[in-house]
Amino acid sequence: MIPPAETSRVCLTKPRAMTGVFILMYALNFSTDAPLWFTERDIAQIRKWWCIMLMERYQIEGHGQRFSYWTNEARELLKGALEPVYRVPKKRKTEHEVQFQKSDMCFILELPNCLLSAILMEMVLQEGDKAYSTLALVCTTFRDTMSTVSFRRGAHFRWLDSVATWSWFSASYKEDFRVMYTIDTCRGCLELYKNCKPGYVGTGKRGELKGIYSDDQHPGYCSHFCNLIS
């Protein structure tokens, strides 16, 4: 059994690079009795196993033309010189929904909400606003946690404090510019956009600042381009 610490690490590191593996393994779990216990160091072997599974689905006839770029190891596989691939048994159909045992659940989902929220917020601050959509694809728990107003405000003000030294400014300046962004609909393209103006503008990545504006030069529009074409 994989230690809980290892399991939590695979859920939190390199989400973009490992999303494909997660999708494949979840699909395998839904259709078979295979558990979801694997770590980051297993990813290479999992990819190799899936490649072999796919290759074995092709007919041996004509493989020289279809897979002329194969390695010697793949050719040995077709000749039967390699050990057979481990086959995962399919699930038997049941009338009732399958009840997953506690040992089959991802360890990170068992963490307290406050701790899970802190971990996700740290990832958002490292990756910026794009992490919201990336992490939301992992599971509904991540999506629901990051969709709350308190989470969004916490991440925004932590980013603000990383790009501005408020002790250098007056209390009135801080009151005017240390504010929460709004989600508005652009009058031009009718798309939702993050409106940080007037104030500090950025992508939400810790320490990175696009600029600061004392006023909104194109109110109601997501960009200067939308303002011009309207």
Side-chain angles (χ1 to χ4, degrees), residues 102-169:
K102 187 175 181 180
S103 59
D104 294 332
M105 296 175 61
C106 182
F107 172 75
I108 193 173
L109 299 181
E110 301 179 21
L111 295 175
N113 291 335
C114 59
L115 181 56
L116 177 60
S117 178
I119 295 173
L120 293 175
M121 187 171 296
E122 183 62 26
M123 296 191 67
V124 169
L125 291 172
Q126 289 182 8
E127 298 292 330
D129 293 338
K130 61 182 180 181
Y132 282 106
S133 57
T134 303
L135 292 172
L137 295 175
V138 177
C139 67
T140 56
T141 302
F142 287 10
R143 182 197 62 196
D144 295 341
T145 301
M146 297 184 300
S147 298
T148 60
V149 175
S150 60
F151 185 94
R152 301 271 176 154
R153 287 183 62 87
H156 177 67
F157 284 115
R158 287 192 185 185
W159 166 77
L160 261 180
D161 294 340
S162 73
V163 297
T165 306
W166 300 109
S167 59
W168 294 357
F169 305 104

Side-chain angles (χ1 to χ4, degrees), residues 5-133:
E6 297 292 344
T7 308
S8 61
R9 184 179 64 181
V10 73
C11 294
L12 292 177
T13 55
K14 302 179 182 178
R16 288 178 295 178
M18 295 163 53
T19 301
V21 174
F22 269 110
I23 294 175
L24 289 172
M25 296 307 291
Y26 275 116
L28 182 66
N29 174 259
F30 291 148
S31 59
T32 68
D33 291 318
L36 289 175
W37 293 102
F38 60 94
T39 67
E40 182 179 350
R41 61 173 176 266
D42 300 323
I43 299 300
Q45 290 297 325
I46 292 174
R47 289 197 182 104
K48 179 179 178 181
W49 181 79
W50 275 106
C51 290
I52 294 176
M53 290 287 289
L54 292 173
M55 289 188 299
E56 287 197 335
R57 293 298 183 272
Y58 287 95
Q59 295 181 357
I60 296 180
E61 294 80 3
H63 71 273
Q65 292 77 23
R66 186 181 292 122
F67 303 113
S68 58
Y69 55 89
W70 274 20
T71 61
N72 293 332
E73 184 178 358
R75 295 190 182 94
E76 293 299 318
L77 173 66
L78 291 178
K79 294 177 182 178
L82 294 182
E83 295 182 2
V85 179
Y86 170 72
R87 304 297 181 185
V88 183
K90 293 184 178 180
K91 284 184 178 179
R92 295 182 179 179
K93 294 183 178 180
T94 58
E95 298 179 357
H96 305 285
E97 183 180 356
V98 177
Q99 298 294 328
F100 292 96
Q101 298 180 359
K102 187 175 181 180
S103 59
D104 294 332
M105 296 175 61
C106 182
F107 172 75
I108 193 173
L109 299 181
E110 301 179 21
L111 295 175
N113 291 335
C114 59
L115 181 56
L116 177 60
S117 178
I119 295 173
L120 293 175
M121 187 171 296
E122 183 62 26
M123 296 191 67
V124 169
L125 291 172
Q126 289 182 8
E127 298 292 330
D129 293 338
K130 61 182 180 181
Y132 282 106
S133 57

